[in-house]
Amino acid sequence: MTESTTPVPDRVRILGPEEIRRALVRIAHEILESGHGADDLVLLGIPHRGVPLAERLAAQILAAEGIDRPVEDLAGSLDVTMYRDDLRQHPTRAPSPTRIPRGGIDGRTVVLVDDVLFSGRTVRAALDALGAIGRPSAVRLAVLVDRGHRELPIRADHVGKNLPTSRGERVHVELAETDGEDAVVLARPAGEEEAR
């Protein structure tokens, strides 16, 4: 038998199910405390894992406000595929559906929701996609993890966890809806020194 020479990355669990749940509860309350009541609010998840996060946040907000409405009235999804600036490098991306809650986005506060904020380029694409749909009164950004390394002047308004990383490290968000369990995992390429 031949041994594999491919380095295996070190994987460290950063957040588990309970920490993710607490972070989302905190973010939901921050959104409400920012003066955005549920009536004037739309949460749009950026596929893939931003969508279930937006739905969880919407459920938390509706429960906190004591509103008995379907989550779909508050949360939707925003496909950014055709607005990405790397389509020439990765042209075979499959678009996801865009679902806008009833009432649209015009004149409302839109909270874009994503799992990891890194360079800011996905959020820039989301802003372009949003502009093609309508004109919200304000746009906010909520992310589960902010790992730094911004390439554009974009900042999250609501962050579950700030996680300083090196460029070689990868942050993987796993959710029960897409992966069978909730976790945030930091993967470090084998051999990379922990220099922080």
Side-chain angles (χ1 to χ4, degrees):
M1 217 193 304
T2 310
E3 284 187 35
S4 173
T5 56
T6 305
V8 178
D10 294 329
R11 292 174 58 89
V12 178
R13 181 178 279 221
I14 303 299
L15 298 176
E18 184 56 23
E19 292 94 351
I20 290 173
R21 185 195 66 76
R22 282 197 305 262
L24 294 177
V25 168
R26 182 174 42 78
I27 289 171
H29 285 277
E30 285 177 6
I31 291 169
L32 288 172
E33 289 167 8
S34 298
H36 311 301
D39 292 335
D40 189 36
L41 192 63
V42 175
L43 287 91
L44 295 179
I46 299 172
H48 293 285
R49 288 168 184 83
V51 176
L53 290 173
E55 291 168 353
R56 290 189 197 185
L57 286 171
Q60 290 286 343
I61 288 168
L62 291 170
E65 292 281 276
I67 298 172
D68 185 21
R69 282 172 38 200
V71 167
E72 295 78 24
D73 284 358
L74 191 61
S77 63
L78 180 66
D79 180 59
V80 302
T81 304
M82 299 314 294
Y83 296 91
R84 295 188 62 92
D85 63 4
D86 61 355
L87 277 178
R88 280 177 263 161
Q89 296 159 334
H90 307 283
T92 57
R93 293 178 186 265
S96 301
T98 291
R99 290 183 296 105
I100 304 298
R102 284 183 297 179
I105 63 168
D106 290 335
R108 300 172 83 185
T109 297
V110 172
V111 179
L112 297 173
V113 182
D114 206 0
D115 56 349
V116 179
L117 178 57
F118 182 36
S119 67
R121 292 182 180 276
T122 299
V123 176
R124 186 216 41 88
L127 291 169
D128 289 347
L130 197 61
I133 294 169
R135 191 171 192 273
S137 63
V139 180
R140 303 285 182 259
L141 176 61
V143 297
L144 183 59
V145 177
D146 183 345
R147 64 167 291 188
H149 302 288
R150 219 71 78 238
E151 295 171 4
L152 298 172
I154 289 174
R155 176 185 60 84
D157 300 282
H158 310 286
V159 178
K161 173 123 180 111
N162 285 295
L163 182 63
T165 62
S166 73
R167 282 201 169 266
E169 292 171 323
R170 296 289 175 251
V171 176
H172 300 283
V173 172
E174 299 168 355
L175 299 175
E177 296 90 336
T178 55
D179 308 288
E181 68 171 337
D182 285 355
V184 174
V185 177
L186 180 65
R188 185 177 301 116
E192 181 174 299
E193 293 293 324
E194 189 165 345
R196 287 216 190 102

